Amino acid sequence: MTRYYQALEKALGQPTSDPPAPPNIDAFPRKRDLLLETTEIRSGLLDVYALRGCHITNLVAGHNNQLGKVAPLSQQWLYELKLWRLLSECWQGEPSQKLAKEDRNRLSHLLEFKTRQLPTISYNALVGSDEWRSNFSRASTPLPPGDFSAIDEQLPALHYLTAAVQQQYDPNWQPESATLESHFERLQQRPLSAELLRTLMLATTVLADSNTLLKGVTAPSSCPSDRPLALPKPPDWLEPLREQAGTWFNAMETLLDAHVAGTPDFVLYRRTWLSPGSATSPLTRYQTALDEHFQLRQQVTRICQPTFP
């Protein structure tokens, strides 16, 4: 991009210089500013035992042991999902008919509570995970020019996580812990979202300065007088960057749309940096700068086109 910018300056008869470096991306919100609050129903052993026909006693016991308390958020979501399904099957099946009235009311209340809470749990499992947050690390660099292979590698993770939350109330969909964790680990392999954001910001910065150069050509008198104008060819990865970044952030938008909105800090970060439809997002600003650049190139070429008597 620097070479292109300097070649553009030379073609327009301007002294060559280095374009300014863009700032870093904002820090991703802290974990405590990402998580939505959840509450737990405190039940005595006898209350849980009364619902033993729902086959939840071993599951609850495993969750309450030391390992269950320190399990990753993704595993806590799987626990809540399995518990909700067991409660739902119990309520709709024969076991609930055999319960005493008080225990049946307890089951109804527990099922209703867990049904309402599940979207919050699944949201926390995504945005609060170390793997997700590491994908936005400020300790990142722009992508190598034209290398978008990482998008192909990580995009299946976004698709799987989207399908998982969309189908969490579907009893026919069976989540697998190993598959879920493998997709989270894929997101942790490299901070792709941050790399894309920084690439977009870098390219936008140079394009904006290039556009300022081109806007200086307003009449034939502004064109080089000693030679025909020959604008340098733009880097061939500018359009692919628009397409590939659009694919990534649109897939992320679909994933986030499947969840509850989240905390104010996350909503602000998403609107500022991630949403393809936001005027402030690096993707939107890049698209605007790129479109303007191609239009200005055509305009300058027309202005500086030699005329013959």
Side-chain angles (χ1 to χ4, degrees), residues 28-36 72-74 120-134 136 184 256 259 266:
F28 199 64
R30 296 170 299 181
K31 184 175 181 177
R32 67 187 183 188
D33 297 324
L34 289 169
L35 298 181
L36 293 170
L73 290 171
S74 56
T120 300
I121 300 295
S122 59
Y123 161 84
N124 284 347
L126 174 70
V127 303
S129 68
D130 293 339
E131 296 87 351
W132 176 260
R133 289 182 291 112
S134 71
F136 300 89
F184 271 116
L256 297 177
H259 288 274
F266 181 68

Side-chain angles (χ1 to χ4, degrees), residues 164-230:
V165 70
Q166 289 175 338
Q167 299 176 90
Q168 63 180 339
Y169 286 115
D170 182 1
N172 295 318
W173 178 72
Q174 299 299 324
E176 295 182 1
S177 176
T179 303
L180 178 65
E181 295 304 330
S182 69
H183 284 295
F184 271 116
E185 289 171 5
R186 185 173 296 183
L187 292 176
Q188 198 174 30
Q189 289 175 357
R190 62 186 293 178
L192 177 58
S193 295
E195 291 174 339
L196 272 170
L197 291 173
R198 298 195 68 175
T199 303
L200 291 168
M201 291 174 66
L202 174 60
T204 300
T205 298
V206 181
L207 284 173
D209 273 35
S210 300
N211 292 346
T212 299
L213 286 176
L214 294 170
K215 288 176 183 177
V217 180
T218 57
S221 59
S222 307
C223 303
S225 57
D226 57 340
R227 64 189 185 282
L229 177 69

Side-chain angles (χ1 to χ4, degrees), residues 10 16 31 41 47 86 99 110 128-129 140 143 154 156 167 175 180 184 188 215 220 223 254 262 272 277 284:
K10 185 176 181 180
T16 58
K31 184 175 181 177
I41 293 181
D47 293 336
L86 289 174
L99 293 173
L110 185 57
S129 68
S140 55
L143 290 171
Q154 292 198 12
Q167 299 176 90
L180 178 65
F184 271 116
Q188 198 174 30
K215 288 176 183 177
C223 303
T254 300
T272 304
T284 301

Side-chain angles (χ1 to χ4, degrees), residues 55-64 78-79 82-84 86:
H55 307 293
I56 66 170
T57 50
N58 289 338
L59 182 65
V60 173
H63 177 68
N64 288 335
L78 290 180
Y79 160 78
K82 187 172 183 179
L83 177 60
W84 175 82
L86 289 174

